[in-house]
Structures are given as C-alpha cells and as structure tokens.
Amino acid sequence: MIARVITDISLDREFDYLVPEELENSIRPGSAVEVPFGNSRRNGYVLELAESSSFGNAGKLKALAGLSGSRAHIPEKLITLGKWMADYYCASQEHAIRTLLPAAVRSGKVKALVSRIFYLPDQKAAEQFIIDNADAKRVVKRVETLKLMLRLREGTLTEISGHPEYSPGAFDALRKAGLISFREETLRRDVFGDAEVVPGKPLPPTPDQAKALAMIDDIFEHKVPQHVLVLHGVTNSGKTEVYLQSIANAIRRGKSAIVLVPEISLTPQTVRRFRSRFGDQLCVLHSRLSDGERFDEWNRINSGEAQIVIGARSALFAPLRNLGLIVVDEEHESSYKQSESPRYMARDVAVMRGKLENAAVILGSATPSAESIYNARLGKFLLCRMAAQVADKPKPVIRIIDRRLDPIPEPGSSNLFSPALIDAVQERLERAEQTILFLNRRGYARSMSCPACGFEARCPECSVNYNYTYSRRREILSCHLCGAVVPAPSVCPECSSPEIRYHGSGTEKLESCAHGVFPGARIGRMDSDTMRSSADYEVVLDKFRRGQLDILVGTQMIAKGLHFPGVTLVGVINADHGLSMPDFRAAERTFQLLTQVAGRAGRGDRRGEVIFQSSKDSEVLHFASELDFDGFENFDLEFRRMLAYPPFTRLIAIVFRGENESELANFAAGFASALEPYKHDNMRITPPAPAPIERIKNKYRYLMTIRGTGLKTIREAIRVLALHRPHPKGIDIAVDVDAQYLM
Ligand code: ADP
Ligand code: ZN
Ligand code: ZN
C-alpha cells in the first residue's frame, strides 16, 4: 500500500511513501503522519491511498515513519473538499490542507488543559495517621493538612493551598507517603464566559417561516434536486428562527450543523441566542479565541461531543461527522472571501461541502448577492421569500437629501450636517429618542495638505492615490494600506507654515462636530479606532442600549444586526460614498449597506425615519430609499449582463507584486503571453497593468483580469504557471478566482 502525503513544506507536491504493514488497517486519507524527508522527519497528511506509486518503482520508496498521535486527523470528506479548493482557487495543496485545520490543532503543540484533583485515597489510613500522631510535634503540619483534606474531601492545589492549614512541605511528604494522591481531569477552556443562559423554546412558526421550513425538509428528504435554499427575508422577518428550527430538525434526524456568520456579527448577543436553544451541543469558533480555546472547541467537535458549530468563515471546516445542514447568514457579505491563499469564498465552498456531504445549505440575507439570486433564477437554488416582519411594523420613512441644494456653509464650519438632518436629530433629542449617525470612514480627516506650498502628506511606501488618515485624538497619520503610523506634524514639514489643512471627514470628526451642533447630547462612537477589544464594543453598545447615549456615531460596525428599539432616526452622512469606487460591485455594496443601515431605525414601537445625505443622483439611492430589492436586482443584473460581469461570467484576478517595476512589468507580460494559447471567444482578458492601488509597502502591483465563461482550462493553466513555473526572486503572484475586489 502506498500513501500519497502532503507535508508542511512540500507546497504543491505530493510524496509517495510505503505504508508499513502494521499501519495498513489504521491509516486512511486524512491521517496525520510523520515521514522521513532527507535526513530529517516532517509532519504531513495522507491525501490518498493507492496500490501503486505514480513515481515508478515502489521498491525505492521510503516507508512512513508512523502515525502522529499528537496531531488531529482530517475527516476524509474534508480532504476531498481541500483538494477541490486547491484546484478551483489555484492554490497549493499545502495551503488548502492548512485551512482545514486550525494552527492550534495542526501543530500538535497545544495540549488539553488537565487539572490535578487531590484527594485521600484511603480515608481510614488518614484518620489513623492523625490519631497515631496526635502528640507528635514533628508532624504537626502533616496532621493539620490531613485534617484539612478530610474536611475538603478533594480539590485542586489552588483551592487547597488557599487554606491556612496548608503547608507545601507537609503536603509533599504526604503525597510521597501515598496518603494523598491525585487524578487528572480534562478541563474545557470556557469560551462563553460563565454567563447564565436561559433555555429557549422554538416559537410557533409564522406562515412564511413554515413555508421555509417545509422547503428545507424537502431538501433533507431529497424530494427536490436542489440542495441549496436562498432565504431572502427582510431584517426581522424571522430568518434566525428558521435557522434555529432547521438545525433542530437536522439534529432530530441524527445530523449535525454549521452556522456561518460574518465575524463582525458574531457578537455575544448572537451566540447567546443559539446557546439558549442548544446549550452544550453548541461550539463557537472565531478569531478572538485563544489557541487553547480553539483546540478544545475543535476537539469537542471532532469527538462528536458537540454537533452544532457557529463561527466565522473558517468554521466551515469544522470536522463534524454526518453533516446535515450548513447555514450561511448574511450570505452576501464579501468578508466571506479569504484574502490569502487559498482565496476561497466561504459561501461557495459551503455549497460545495453541502454537495459532497449530502447536506442542505441555507443562504440567508435581507439583500442576497447577485450570484445567489441569479442561481435561483436559473433553478439551481431554491428561493424562499419572507417579505413580512414577524411583528408587522410600518416600514421606515426614508428621505434622500440632496446636499447640492443646501445653503453653502459658513467658512470654517463643518459641512457634515444638512439642515434637514439637524432638525431631525434635534427632534429626537427633544423626544428622548435615539439616533444613529453613519459614516463609512474612520479617523478625523482623510488627508492633510499645506495651502502655502502645496505639500500633501502621503505614505512614502504606498500608492500616490491614497492618503493618510488623520486621527486627532491620537495625533497620528496612519496609512490604511500598509498600516504605517507617523506622528502628525503641527507645522508643514516642507515650509514650516502653521496653516496645515485637513480634508475629508471620518467618524472621529463626525463625533466632534456632533458635539458642536448638538451641545449637551450624549454621544458615543464605534469604529475600529475606538474598538480595541470585544469588551470595548460591549461597553458602548450597552450604554446605548440602556439609553445612556443619545447619539451613536459609527462606521459599518454599527450597520449590522444590532437591535436597538430606542432608535427612531438613522442619518447616513454620505450615502453616495461607495458609488464612485471603480468596481462593478459598487452599486450592490452601496445598496446592501444602505438597506442594512436603514434597518436600524424603528425597531421599537415608534416608526423609524432614515435620511440619506447625498451629493449625487443615483438610481441605487432611489431603490434603497424605496427598499425595492427586486427593482435594484433587475437594474444591477441587467448592467452586469450587458458588460459581461459575474454572475453572467466568472472573473479571475491575478495580482503580480514586486519591488522592481520594470522587472515586474516584464514578468507579468510574459505570464500573460503564456496564457495566449488558452484564450477563446467567450473570454475577455485585460492585460497586466498597474493596479488601482499601484503600490503597497514599496511593492508595485500589476493587475490582470480574465472574465468569461468556460474558464476551466485557462484556470488550470494559471494554477500550474503560478505555482510551478519558476519566477524571479522578489516577485509574487496572487491568483484570486471569483475576486470580490479589483484593487
Ligand atoms: P431575522 O433573523 O430575519 O432578523 P429573527 O429570527 O431575529 O429575524 O426574528 C426577529 C424577531 O422576531 C426576534 O425578536 C424573534 O424572537 C421574533 N420571532 C421570530 N420568529 C417568531 C415567531 N415565529 N413568533 C414570534 N416571534 C418570533
Ligand atoms: Zn507648506
Ligand atoms: Zn502605506
């Protein structure tokens, strides 16, 4: 028997090893193994088992060194999924396999947390020792310790040593004498804090929910050819309740389930809701877990102790057996795309995993992606609409305020608020209602320049089209491309003029202007500058929820999923902001964001009002202000069809990076010409050229895109070229299949 093994350094090559006879029964695809490699040993995973080696004479092959006991095995279905990802996303096998297992598990270095519980193995012997030594001065401390242990019965060293009778010397002596012994218990690192959870029961489904649940049952029972359901429901239509009940149905059928949510909405609120329904059956996986916590959660899943996993993108690879259901909440989110190799789209990989495992997949959203709507129109996916909110509330009143018609602000005053928005906020303050102000940019200002000499502050290592973001509170300029931070100058670095100007506004400025415009209002801010940890996040949210803040200012962090019944007004400072991005998804993203932000208003008893400030006319804003998803989708799909953009085609972006620009341009051109033979009529290729972001951290970036239908062959060629053809030192290639951003 031959094992085809991928090791942690072999990149895209498999190595064949002989399987020693004694391992033949225990080895399988996914087994963690140790293999001889040159003069050393390497860790690897078995990709497949074969009868004969593809490298010819099996007699020359080395034998596996053995199974690795300390590292986890990968379930076979996941190995298949990993191979598919490597192929489809043009990634190396090694990178794909690596994604399947958290580093904490893969390394074999993190151990289960074991605690020693000390106890008296023989209580009679202990009592006898106390009687025998009642007057012995020499062992007073031992007697005391034994009396303590008789009282406590058992405990960890931390618990025992907290008592005044404890003495380390006596304790050791008693252990050596065998009067005290210990047993080991595996502890679960507690990822939930110890917050009490009130068990919750399923709610009687609304007609819409009943319809959705019936469709999912049809998938469970294979009564329909499709295995994917697009659940298109406005916020508050009861989607989450559908997830909860279909998970319960899957469990009832002896299956397990995965729920993917965008990292940003994986709040304690969300987790609590799932925990209250499923208790200890639930595992949570997200990026804020420590290695130890991740290790424990992963093992709880792998051992079958937990059947339900909720988590961000990577939770898709949870090693559940007998998977019955995958839920992808907010399926339209571009954060489901991984930015490093393998650059997979979790939504699409979920559909693939569902197919491999015969599981149902629910793609839920208030604003489904064009891709999913298109697949539903083609009949590849089922579609279920939930048009009504559970507690039927009047829709918010949405107004578009054209900033071009506003009076010109006095010099020196801020231009962030239109008179209409000021009035609306004022009204809320008078009625003790709450307001959310949304601006999709953090920081105080977007750029800094000197009117005297024309100097403009820019990150020296990055593209000229992007300026620093200025934070006034921290007195710094930061580059949002490379993260570099420099102190903000107080005079012009070129001509020493003190007249430095800041342009463009971020949430920090919005907050400070709001203080000026609404004196006395209690204002909080939420963006990635103020939120250093999830604790910060909870503090601000909690204050707002309790009504201790009147106005919450923030970036997209506050757009999603949060429920504040006290909010009756949402103001979007520049609703047209995203529309000018050079990206065919700009309209879609803007529509989604505005719909979501608007959904924050009027979740309580009072009707909500929403104001979109804009300096441009746009159909997208009109569709958003009418909450007209169908209208928007027809408009957007028509535009994409005409220009042959996804979902009508597939799009592959290739970014070449290197420090030497002419060398890079040459190399990229050579790469493109190697693809010439694979070109055909249903394909458009934009040859390599400087990317919209030309330079990050002193590395030039060239972008090439390929879009069309029937890309399989060229994709395979790209994969081989990018991974296997030698390229000059210092140049790297990032292939992004189904790219979300073309920057
Ligand atoms: P969504 O996920 O679409 O925003 P949720 O499932 O969170 O919607 O439901 C919105 C609100 O309605 C929640 O407070 C939820 O508890 C409540 N709800 C959902 N389904 C029902 C139901 N069948 N009966 C009563 N209340 C429900
Ligand atoms: Zn100057
Ligand atoms: Zn930079």
Side-chain angles (χ1 to χ4, degrees):
M1 194 192 271
I2 309 286
R4 216 145 273 161
V5 173
I6 188 90
T7 73
D8 46 12
I9 53 134
S10 55
L11 281 171
D12 203 40
R13 252 196 84 185
E14 298 157 22
F15 291 89
D16 284 359
Y17 288 92
L18 283 174
V19 179
E21 223 163 273
E22 67 272 19
L23 291 183
E24 281 191 2
N25 288 323
S26 44
I27 201 161
R28 50 184 169 70
S31 293
V33 289
E34 282 179 26
V35 294
F37 203 92
N39 290 328
S40 64
R41 280 192 176 188
R42 296 266 167 211
N43 291 323
Y45 288 92
V46 176
L47 287 186
E48 55 194 350
L49 295 170
E51 297 282 309
S52 61
S53 170
S54 42
F55 299 106
N57 188 355
K60 281 193 195 148
L61 292 181
K62 291 184 182 170
L64 285 177
L67 286 174
S68 163
S70 66
R71 292 175 311 123
H73 296 193
I74 304 172
E76 195 167 344
K77 291 261 172 55
L78 280 181
I79 288 278
T80 313
L81 189 68
K83 285 192 202 160
W84 174 80
M85 280 203 295
D87 280 342
Y88 184 78
Y89 291 105
C90 299
S92 69
Q93 300 261 19
E94 181 227 0
H95 283 164
I97 296 297
R98 215 193 265 175
T99 349
L100 302 177
L101 285 181
V105 176
R106 215 178 337 115
S107 72
K109 285 188 187 124
V110 181
K111 297 280 180 295
L113 203 61
V114 176
S115 148
R116 289 182 171 183
I117 313 283
F118 292 92
Y119 65 102
L120 300 172
D122 184 346
Q123 202 171 316
K124 288 236 168 63
E127 284 163 354
Q128 195 59 51
F129 184 95
I130 294 171
I131 294 166
D132 292 349
N133 295 287
D135 301 320
K137 285 229 166 59
R138 211 169 39 83
V139 291
V140 173
K141 285 194 173 154
R142 288 184 213 183
V143 170
E144 288 282 295
T145 305
L146 280 179
K147 282 184 182 164
L148 172 68
M149 287 305 291
L150 279 167
R151 211 173 77 226
L152 297 176
R153 311 197 71 87
E154 61 176 42
T156 62
L157 195 56
T158 323
E159 287 159 3
I160 297 166
S161 63
H163 294 267
E165 298 96 322
Y166 169 83
S167 124
F171 196 82
D172 275 351
L174 289 166
R175 274 185 52 198
K176 284 205 188 94
L179 282 165
I180 294 180
S181 47
F182 68 84
R183 61 170 192 278
E184 293 193 328
E185 276 181 11
T186 308
L187 299 180
R188 176 181 172 201
R189 299 166 177 96
D190 187 8
V191 296
F192 296 119
D194 29 29
E196 275 299 309
V197 174
V198 194
K201 281 212 197 80
L203 303 164
T206 61
D208 274 352
Q209 288 173 329
K211 187 178 62 178
L213 288 166
M215 291 174 93
I216 297 156
D217 267 341
D218 283 349
I219 298 179
F220 283 152
E221 281 165 19
H222 307 293
K223 285 187 183 158
V224 285
Q226 298 90 342
H227 76 290
V228 182
L229 173 76
V230 179
L231 188 60
H232 177 196
V234 296
T235 316
N236 261 338
S237 58
K239 292 186 297 300
T240 310
E241 185 62 33
V242 171
Y243 305 157
L244 291 164
Q245 297 198 22
S246 20
I247 294 168
N249 289 340
I251 299 288
R252 216 166 290 132
R253 291 167 190 267
K255 305 273 182 135
S256 56
I258 297 175
V259 184
L260 297 186
V261 296
E263 182 85 47
I264 191 169
S265 49
L266 193 56
T267 57
Q269 245 177 326
T270 316
V271 175
R272 219 173 290 138
R273 194 157 166 205
F274 280 84
R275 251 192 108 200
S276 84
R277 207 60 70 82
F278 300 115
D280 275 347
Q281 281 179 303
L282 182 74
C283 257
V284 65
L285 290 173
H286 57 73
S287 64
R288 297 183 301 272
L289 294 184
S290 67
D291 277 355
E293 288 169 339
R294 203 183 313 271
F295 178 88
D296 284 2
E297 291 298 276
W298 196 91
N299 279 300
R300 263 171 28 89
I301 300 164
N302 199 31
S303 66
E305 201 184 318
Q307 292 89 42
I308 305 163
V309 178
I310 184 168
R313 200 169 51 216
S314 63
L316 178 56
F317 305 109
L320 288 164
R321 312 299 144 110
N322 220 353
L323 186 64
L325 175 67
I326 308 176
V327 174
V328 184
D329 189 28
E330 310 278 357
E331 66 90 28
H332 62 276
E333 278 283 320
S334 52
S335 64
Y336 279 125
K337 190 78 155 70
Q338 161 117 324
S339 57
E340 279 144 40
S341 172
R343 296 180 177 80
Y344 68 89
M345 175 51 124
R347 182 225 308 142
D348 301 340
V349 182
V351 170
M352 193 53 173
R353 185 167 183 193
K355 189 171 152 194
L356 287 174
E357 308 226 21
N358 244 323
V361 178
I362 304 177
L363 306 179
S365 173
T367 51
S369 61
E371 283 82 354
S372 295
I373 288 294
Y374 182 66
N375 277 324
R377 288 188 183 177
L378 291 180
K380 286 191 190 164
F381 296 174
L382 299 174
L383 174 68
C384 180
R385 293 251 164 119
M386 306 212 300
Q389 303 205 343
V390 177
D392 207 9
K393 298 226 175 78
K395 293 206 158 79
V397 180
I398 307 180
R399 277 193 287 161
I400 301 174
I401 300 293
D402 189 335
R403 298 303 316 275
R404 293 168 303 186
L405 306 177
D406 282 344
I408 294 168
E410 285 166 26
S413 77
S414 106
N415 191 24
L416 286 170
F417 296 94
S418 63
L421 182 55
I422 294 178
D423 286 349
V425 174
Q426 208 70 56
E427 243 174 70
R428 297 310 178 299
L429 292 171
E430 280 156 22
R431 297 207 301 251
E433 296 172 5
Q434 290 175 305
T435 299
I436 286 178
L437 294 176
F438 178 84
L439 180 60
N440 206 6
R441 193 188 281 155
R442 66 191 167 81
Y444 188 82
R446 185 162 160 74
S447 64
M448 195 207 99
S449 67
C450 168
C453 74
F455 168 81
E456 277 198 63
R458 286 191 168 121
C459 175
E461 307 208 326
C462 295
S463 189
V464 288
N465 296 327
Y466 287 81
N467 307 76
Y468 278 130
T469 293
Y470 169 61
S471 165
R472 189 167 70 170
R473 187 180 58 83
R474 295 164 63 205
E475 282 301 321
I476 53 162
L477 297 170
S478 66
C479 172
H480 71 138
L481 293 181
C482 75
V485 167
V486 294
S490 50
V491 298
C492 173
E494 292 287 314
C495 72
S496 303
S497 154
E499 296 280 298
I500 293 183
R501 293 272 163 78
Y502 294 97
H503 319 269
S505 316
T507 40
E508 188 183 345
K509 176 141 176 211
L510 179 59
E511 182 191 16
S512 100
C513 289
H515 278 295
V517 181
F518 311 109
R522 298 163 303 170
I523 303 173
R525 170 158 66 99
M526 250 178 77
D527 54 35
S528 54
D529 284 341
T530 57
M531 300 298 124
R532 292 276 163 242
S533 69
S534 62
D536 294 345
Y537 185 90
E538 279 296 291
V539 168
V540 177
L541 288 185
D542 229 50
K543 271 182 144 176
F544 196 54
R545 207 173 289 131
R546 285 161 199 246
Q548 292 164 0
L549 294 172
D550 303 309
I551 301 175
L552 183 62
V553 167
T555 55
Q556 62 206 21
M557 276 187 126
I558 59 176
K560 308 215 169 126
L562 301 171
H563 177 67
F564 301 111
V567 174
T568 59
L569 174 68
V570 168
V572 182
I573 302 303
N574 42 6
D576 53 333
H577 166 63
L579 289 173
S580 47
M581 297 283 175
D583 188 327
F584 71 95
R585 288 196 177 88
E588 182 180 41
R589 293 212 180 92
T590 304
F591 181 84
Q592 288 165 346
L593 193 61
L594 293 178
T595 319
Q596 249 161 7
V597 185
R600 301 307 108 210
R603 295 176 72 93
D605 307 326
R606 283 152 297 184
R607 185 164 196 167
E609 183 184 356
V610 179
I611 292 182
F612 294 157
Q613 296 189 148
S614 169
S615 316
K616 199 204 285 39
D617 253 333
S618 157
E619 270 143 311
V620 177
L621 297 188
H622 286 281
F623 288 124
S625 72
E626 308 268 304
L627 297 173
D628 180 5
F629 180 83
D630 288 341
F632 170 74
E633 209 49 62
N634 289 332
F635 159 83
D636 196 38
L637 282 175
E638 183 52 23
F639 152 79
R640 295 192 193 196
R641 195 186 57 76
M642 270 164 40
L643 297 177
Y645 273 115
F648 298 91
T649 54
R650 298 262 166 176
L651 171 74
I652 303 174
I654 307 173
V655 175
F656 305 89
R657 289 175 298 204
E659 287 187 13
N660 181 326
E661 191 174 9
S662 62
E663 192 186 57
L664 183 70
N666 271 336
F667 175 77
F671 193 98
S673 59
L675 292 175
E676 279 296 321
Y678 304 94
K679 246 167 117 169
H680 58 65
D681 290 345
N682 298 322
M683 189 190 294
R684 302 173 193 214
I685 297 186
T686 40
I693 298 174
E694 286 164 44
R695 201 164 51 118
I696 299 179
K697 259 196 154 168
N698 267 340
K699 283 208 168 159
Y700 289 91
R701 308 172 75 251
Y702 271 55
L703 172 70
M704 159 178 196
T705 63
I706 298 156
R707 70 180 201 274
T709 52
L711 298 190
K712 188 164 186 282
T713 317
I714 199 169
R715 200 185 63 220
E716 283 164 3
I718 293 171
R719 183 175 187 278
V720 172
L721 278 177
L723 294 176
H724 295 286
R725 201 172 77 157
H727 43 271
K729 242 188 147 159
I731 288 186
D732 68 80
I733 310 168
V735 182
D736 194 353
V737 177
D738 299 335
Q740 292 294 302
Y741 291 94
L742 295 176
M743 305 293 272

